[in-house]
Amino acid sequence: MTVNGLLGRSVLTEGPRSNRRSLISLIVGLVVGFCLAEMFIMSSPSRPEYTPYAGHQHGDANDAHNSHDMLGEEGPEADVGSHQHAFENNSLSTKLYNEARVLCWIMTNPNNHKAKARHVKRTWGRRCNKLVFMSSQKDEELGSIALPVQEGRNHLWAKTKEAFKYIHAHYLDEADWFYKADDDTYAVMENMRYMLYPYSPESPIYFGCKFKPYVKQGYMSGGAGYVLSKEAVRRFVEKAIPNKKLCKQDGTGAEDAEIGKCLENVGVTAGDSRDQHARGRFFPFVPEHHLIPSHVNSDFWYWKYIYYKTDEGLDCCSDTAISFHYVTPNQMYVLDYLIYHLRPYGIINAPEPLPERLKVGETLPPPVEPVDPVEPERTEIIST
Ligand SMILES: *[C@@H]1O[C@H](CO)[C@@H](O)[C@H](O)[C@H]1NC(C)=O
């Protein structure tokens, strides 16, 4: 591996003009790589056959506690449990739980019931007012619904329509808002209710991570999930789905762009989910990819798709962020711990007061885009 690494590097960095130099670096690379490989081979047999804590050695490529090696993990077999916090005051979030009720429906499939969906159920899904798993097979343990659809990427649009039809028929009175998420989406329900609180569920509106192409007013990325008002669900199911002029009738196509077109055609507004500092709340990737600037280069499709200007680094993301996508089962438990348990001792946040409620059809004014900070004038240090 080391030999290849050095080889690849020298060939890549030197242009075709400097053949001599690349030949020299190739030889140097081979020699260094060979020596390193020798050292590695020599040191390996000295390891005992079995050491109970071998996996904990730092810097070991086989360290199971290296986070990269855990990316493919299936998630814990048993529930990791929970505990109460005696001094926690959740009266405000309880109020929102009752006044901005959200039904969550999770797009899943039989292969993912155990591998992914059950981890949603044990973590953030518990905080939805109602949680429904939409699949093509019934699963008593998970509580999934068997929709009359085929599985596969090509049938997601059919599944989305069937899911909303099912919800409209069975659960429309059980919530004010209806959130669709994938089985690898993680959502902070308290923050979703805080964002939705001012809006009337009778307003035809929906929220999510807004993308620019395909639909005039934009549409919401499927992975970050999107939340429809009760009125939006009614219009989608009663008016849009049955009408071939308003909505794609067959089951193929990109589910998120297709629902975006249907909703636009029945007058449902693509809402602005940013906070008052113009920071986003719904995200199509894991937090790391939004926070760390180098992760996404400027050619990345995301920068062309994203509807609102978005900053990199800490300004990417609202302190009341709502959702992230591509979250592995293990990471769902990690996020649950970081968001709901770990606290820096002695820092207590007083919540911002709740906003006034809006009338039906009203929306909040867009947030004021922050101006780039002016470099502070440097004060001269006078040495005496
Ligand atoms: C909890 O917070 C609410 C405001 O959100 C406040 O009215 C109430 O008095 C607090 N309860 C306790 C026990 O501190």
Side-chain angles (χ1 to χ4, degrees), residues 46 74 82 101 122 125 154 168 183 197 288 300 310 329 365 375:
S46 65
E74 281 241 313
S82 192
R101 299 171 303 158
R122 286 180 191 161
N154 241 339
H168 182 273
D183 53 18
Y197 177 79
E288 188 179 338
F300 191 47
T310 308
E375 274 275 301

Side-chain angles (χ1 to χ4, degrees), residues 25 47 50 77 84-85 104 110 132-134 142 153-154 177-178 188 203 210 221 237 259 274 311 336 348 352 357 380:
S25 29
R47 268 229 213 137
Y50 171 74
E77 192 51 42
Q84 299 297 311
H85 301 132
C104 306
V132 187
F133 290 92
M134 295 298 187
L142 182 67
R153 255 197 118 71
N154 241 339
W177 300 90
F178 299 84
V188 183
S203 294
K210 208 194 284 185
S221 142
V237 174
I259 193 174
R274 294 174 300 167
D311 286 324
D336 247 29
I348 296 154
E352 295 202 16
R357 289 197 118 160
E380 251 178 77

Side-chain angles (χ1 to χ4, degrees), residues 6-250:
L6 283 167
L7 247 173
R9 206 191 156 117
S10 57
V11 171
L12 269 176
T13 49
E14 306 297 322
R17 279 177 292 146
S18 50
N19 277 340
R20 254 183 80 129
R21 273 181 64 195
S22 55
L23 185 68
I24 290 166
S25 29
L26 188 123
I27 292 163
V28 170
L30 278 170
V31 170
V32 172
F34 183 75
C35 293
L36 285 173
E38 270 295 303
M39 274 164 64
F40 183 70
I41 292 161
M42 299 274 286
S43 64
S44 292
S46 65
R47 268 229 213 137
E49 288 277 289
Y50 171 74
T51 26
Y53 292 102
H56 287 246
Q57 287 163 12
H58 291 279
D60 186 332
N62 299 318
D63 188 344
H65 293 257
N66 174 317
S67 64
H68 267 282
D69 289 343
M70 295 190 76
L71 283 178
E73 299 275 305
E74 281 241 313
E77 192 51 42
D79 195 342
V80 301
S82 192
H83 56 234
Q84 299 297 311
H85 301 132
F87 298 104
E88 197 166 72
N89 180 349
N90 57 13
S91 64
L92 201 49
S93 68
T94 306
K95 174 186 161 73
L96 291 182
Y97 182 89
N98 295 315
E99 294 182 17
R101 299 171 303 158
V102 186
L103 175 149
C104 306
W105 76 262
I106 312 298
M107 178 88 86
T108 189
N109 63 66
N111 286 336
N112 281 0
H113 287 184
K114 271 214 149 56
K116 290 185 174 178
R118 70 169 160 167
H119 303 297
V120 169
K121 188 176 178 176
R122 286 180 191 161
T123 57
W124 68 269
R126 290 180 296 158
R127 304 185 189 99
C128 301
N129 293 71
K130 172 99 190 154
L131 179 64
V132 187
F133 290 92
M134 295 298 187
S135 182
S136 59
Q137 260 173 42
K138 201 172 158 67
D139 179 334
E140 295 288 348
E141 203 185 331
L142 182 67
S144 69
I145 288 155
L147 295 174
V149 289
Q150 284 176 276
E151 288 299 350
R153 255 197 118 71
N154 241 339
H155 305 283
L156 289 182
W157 173 226
K159 206 168 178 177
T160 305
K161 289 188 283 186
E162 287 303 324
F164 275 111
K165 278 157 71 177
Y166 190 95
I167 282 162
H168 182 273
H170 296 91
Y171 302 124
L172 198 62
D173 293 330
E174 290 191 35
D176 309 303
W177 300 90
F178 299 84
Y179 177 55
K180 176 262 160 182
D182 286 346
D183 53 18
D184 56 353
T185 310
Y186 183 94
V188 183
M189 295 310 296
E190 291 78 2
N191 292 345
M192 188 183 299
R193 294 189 186 101
Y194 174 54
M195 182 202 75
L196 295 172
Y197 177 79
Y199 290 91
S200 166
E202 297 305 316
S203 294
I205 195 163
Y206 79 123
F207 298 92
C209 172
K210 208 194 284 185
F211 281 166
K212 253 189 307 210
Y214 308 126
V215 185
K216 206 184 295 160
Q217 65 168 351
Y219 71 99
M220 307 302 171
S221 142
Y226 41 81
V227 55
L228 276 67
S229 69
K230 187 181 292 205
E231 176 59 15
V233 174
R234 279 193 210 109
R235 290 190 187 195
F236 178 49
V237 174
E238 294 168 18
K239 282 191 184 169
I241 292 178
N243 187 333
K244 66 172 190 290
K245 288 196 185 109
L246 301 174
C247 224
K248 190 168 191 249
Q249 295 295 295
D250 71 46

